[in-house]
Amino acid sequence: MSKLRFRSMVLVGSVAVAVGLPLLGHWLRRSEPQRCAFDGLSIESHFRVIVRGPDSEHHFCSVHCAERWLEQPGIVAVEIMVTDESSGQPVEAADAWFVRSTVTTNPINRNRVHAFRRREDAERHAHAFNGEVLTEKSHPFQSRLSN
Amino acid sequence: MLNHSYAVLLAFVAVIRLVLALLLIIQSIRLLRTLHRRQLAPIPSTPSDRYYFLALSASLLLTLNLTSWPLFYALLQRFVSEAPGIMCIYGVTRIGEGSLGPTRHLPLLIAILQLSKPLLVFIGGSWGHLHILNVRSATEPLLKKLVYIAVLFATAAVLDATVELIYLSIPKVGESMSSGCCTVDRGDQFLPSGFLEGGHEPMLYAFFFGGIAALIAAIWIVTRNTRSVPSTLAASAVFLGALAVTAIGVVFLVDVAAPRLLRLPFHHCPYDLPMRVPESLVTIAIFIAGNMCIGWLWTTRAFGTHSDTMPQMPAYLGSLARIAIWCYGVSTLMLAVEMALA
């Protein structure tokens, strides 16, 4: 095999690997479940928070991560949806009741804030797990919702 | 503690490395004494006979050091699943911060090991390339230098293996974790921050990709003449350039590449990449290999100069340069494709 032919084969092979490997990785990850936009944790459906901006939508694993995301400069939220832990249904953050209790939603970020659609469910959770129902002043998204 | 397979394996390799490195130091000292005596008065036994046993030990030590590098990260990855509240290796590197017991030394020990592993491969590789050049020459003129480098290599390996054994012997479970990448105390999550404030991304893109292009061009210019050896000054300049590009590359990786590849704009953690984007590990490994080649090119040029080695030197340095150019080219192309797809 001539030197030129060998070099051409190395060049073509290198380009194929350099382009093919990222493409393969991208293709294999196409069906991966959505992860939290803030810390990359997998999202459990009962704790999902969705923040919609003017032209984007981000999903979070917990209220804590959504709060931290919204603290970043330049972030605009048009709508914030939390998940009612009792039913698993989405509910607007402005209409939800939040409880800070001893129960963590995941061991990594140790989020202790829980969202409920109905006040009775929130109070029941607070009573059962030594928590407190958050008032308007301590509402997780108060600053965003009042804008 | 040695409570699972990776820790046992790493401890086993560390003990072998420690013994082998001590043996290498003893062999080197004995050989140096022989060489010194030979200078005073000729003796019948040839030093090169002893040198080959030393070379065998050094080669084995180099292989074991190379093995212990990924093993070390495999162990850290294993700790992620075992320690509560930790999401990636960055969290493992923060275990022990703020504690009062022996656990408080863990972050420092990890930092030392993360630096010493590549350094050991670099020193061992430098020795290996000089050894090849020496063997290829007729009179083996680099013998004494090789023994000195072997002593340096073995001493570094002793320190690395000792630090590794100390790290393994300190308990990690049951100690309070400080805040790290997704490790939490007091409910306040901490994320590793970038090196620079926001808004520097275009500049980092230009510096990194421009730096790589300039480095490849510099390597090609310095080694393009296959009949002459590049000057030590030129080789040193290329090596310094590679170090500068690596420094920019680290900033680029943490500030730009990691958040983009992970699709987490505020997550400046390169340790997450191998788990979430495994092909990025290949990219980083090839880039490091390119850096090693440039480092070895410099050490071979700086310490391998002798009238007997000069005939082989241009071709040898040319090979190293070509491998380095290939590594930089392929890793940069891979990174560009990965970032375009992210």
Side-chain angles (χ1 to χ4, degrees):
Chain A
M1 188 186 296
S2 70
K3 205 170 182 178
L4 187 67
R5 193 173 170 189
F6 174 74
R7 285 186 178 177
S8 305
M9 282 176 68
V10 169
L11 185 69
V12 171
S14 304
V15 172
V17 169
V19 176
L21 204 57
L23 281 171
L24 180 68
H26 187 72
W27 182 75
L28 289 173
R29 284 192 298 275
R30 75 196 185 285
S31 56
E32 266 195 353
Q34 196 166 29
R35 289 180 173 272
C36 174
F38 188 69
D39 63 12
L41 285 177
S42 44
I43 301 172
E44 282 193 44
S45 57
H46 275 64
F47 308 121
R48 183 185 297 267
V49 179
I50 303 169
V51 176
R52 292 196 178 96
D55 50 6
S56 62
E57 181 178 294
H58 296 284
H59 292 234
F60 301 92
C61 64
S62 62
V63 171
H64 174 80
C65 283
E67 278 185 287
R68 293 292 302 272
W69 171 274
L70 291 166
E71 285 170 11
Q72 308 299 322
I75 299 288
V76 179
V78 175
E79 185 183 32
I80 303 170
M81 300 292 289
V82 295
T83 305
D84 174 25
E85 284 188 24
S86 297
S87 64
Q89 295 300 310
V91 54
E92 279 227 35
D95 301 331
W97 293 89
F98 292 92
V99 179
R100 181 172 282 115
S101 73
T102 53
V103 179
T104 54
T105 57
N106 73 58
I108 303 295
N109 66 24
R110 295 187 195 175
N111 169 65
R112 296 182 188 282
V113 180
H114 304 260
F116 298 93
R117 182 193 296 274
R118 298 192 308 162
R119 182 172 186 159
E120 306 87 79
D121 292 335
E123 284 174 343
R124 196 179 303 124
H125 179 95
H127 182 72
F129 299 107
N130 197 22
E132 56 166 334
V133 178
L134 301 179
T135 59
E136 203 170 289
K137 280 184 182 175
S138 53
H139 191 290
F141 305 112
Q142 183 56 39
S143 61
R144 290 287 170 168
L145 296 173
S146 57
N147 287 339
Chain B
M1 295 291 277
L2 303 180
N3 53 359
H4 55 71
S5 54
Y6 277 120
V8 173
L9 185 59
L10 199 63
F12 179 65
V13 173
V15 169
I16 294 177
R17 287 195 299 132
L18 189 62
V19 172
L20 201 59
L22 290 171
L23 187 70
L24 188 58
I25 291 173
I26 294 166
Q27 285 174 328
S28 302
I29 291 169
R30 287 180 66 186
L31 187 56
L32 281 173
R33 284 172 65 185
T34 308
L35 287 168
H36 182 68
R37 275 206 305 272
R38 195 177 65 161
Q39 280 178 345
L40 298 176
I43 53 172
S45 69
T46 55
S48 53
D49 290 342
R50 285 187 179 179
Y51 173 72
Y52 283 112
F53 187 51
L54 182 147
L56 207 61
S57 306
S59 304
L60 184 58
L61 187 60
L62 174 61
T63 310
L64 288 173
N65 283 331
L66 199 59
T67 311
S68 78
W69 194 3
L71 258 182
F72 172 65
Y73 282 99
L75 174 77
L76 296 185
Q77 184 59 45
R78 183 65 187 264
F79 282 143
V80 172
S81 57
E82 291 191 351
I86 286 180
M87 201 173 99
C88 73
I89 290 176
Y90 185 79
V92 178
T93 66
R94 304 290 294 268
I95 292 176
E97 268 186 16
S99 84
L100 297 173
T103 316
R104 72 182 187 277
H105 300 299
L106 291 174
L108 177 66
L109 295 176
I110 284 197
I112 292 171
L113 287 170
Q114 290 199 88
L115 284 175
S116 65
K117 297 283 178 201
L119 196 64
L120 265 179
V121 173
F122 174 68
I123 299 172
S126 300
W127 174 87
H129 287 290
L130 287 170
H131 168 73
I132 292 168
L133 207 60
N134 187 54
V135 169
R136 285 182 184 177
S137 65
T139 58
E140 300 194 345
L142 305 175
L143 202 61
K144 206 167 183 179
K145 280 181 188 173
L146 280 166
V147 179
Y148 280 120
I149 294 172
V151 171
L152 177 71
F153 177 46
T155 309
V158 166
L159 293 174
D160 179 76
T162 308
V163 170
E164 197 162 77
L165 287 170
I166 294 170
Y167 175 76
L168 290 170
S169 65
I170 295 175
K172 288 139 200 98
V173 182
E175 297 287 338
S176 63
M177 309 290 178
S178 287
S179 295
C181 176
C182 305
T183 71
V184 188
D185 265 346
R186 302 175 298 278
D188 182 25
Q189 187 181 25
F190 171 83
L191 288 172
S193 56
F195 287 105
L196 302 173
E197 294 287 316
H200 290 88
E201 286 192 7
M203 185 189 75
L204 280 173
Y205 271 102
F207 270 87
F208 179 66
F209 287 105
I212 288 282
L215 182 61
I216 289 173
I219 297 167
W220 183 77
I221 289 166
V222 165
T223 58
R224 72 185 186 283
N225 192 340
T226 53
R227 287 180 186 171
S228 69
V229 179
S231 68
T232 309
L233 189 68
S236 306
V238 168
F239 181 49
L240 287 175
L243 290 178
V245 169
T246 305
I248 295 167
V250 170
V251 178
F252 182 79
L253 180 70
V254 172
D255 280 16
V256 181
R260 179 149 181 177
L261 295 176
L262 294 167
R263 300 180 187 190
L264 302 170
F266 306 118
H267 202 88
H268 299 276
C269 183
Y271 292 105
D272 274 334
L273 284 173
M275 284 184 291
R276 303 276 168 76
V277 191
E279 63 271 22
S280 64
L281 190 63
V282 179
T283 310
I284 294 169
I286 294 175
F287 186 85
I288 292 172
N291 277 343
M292 289 284 178
C293 284
I294 293 301
W296 294 329
L297 188 149
W298 172 68
T299 50
T300 308
R301 177 64 187 91
F303 302 108
T305 309
H306 192 277
S307 56
D308 282 354
T309 57
M310 277 303 168
Q312 292 93 34
M313 188 80 91
Y316 198 81
L317 296 185
S319 303
L320 279 175
R322 279 194 295 279
I323 296 170
I325 288 172
W326 182 88
C327 289
Y328 287 130
V330 169
S331 60
T332 308
L333 181 61
M334 277 185 79
L335 183 65
V337 175
E338 282 164 8
M339 292 189 74
L341 291 170

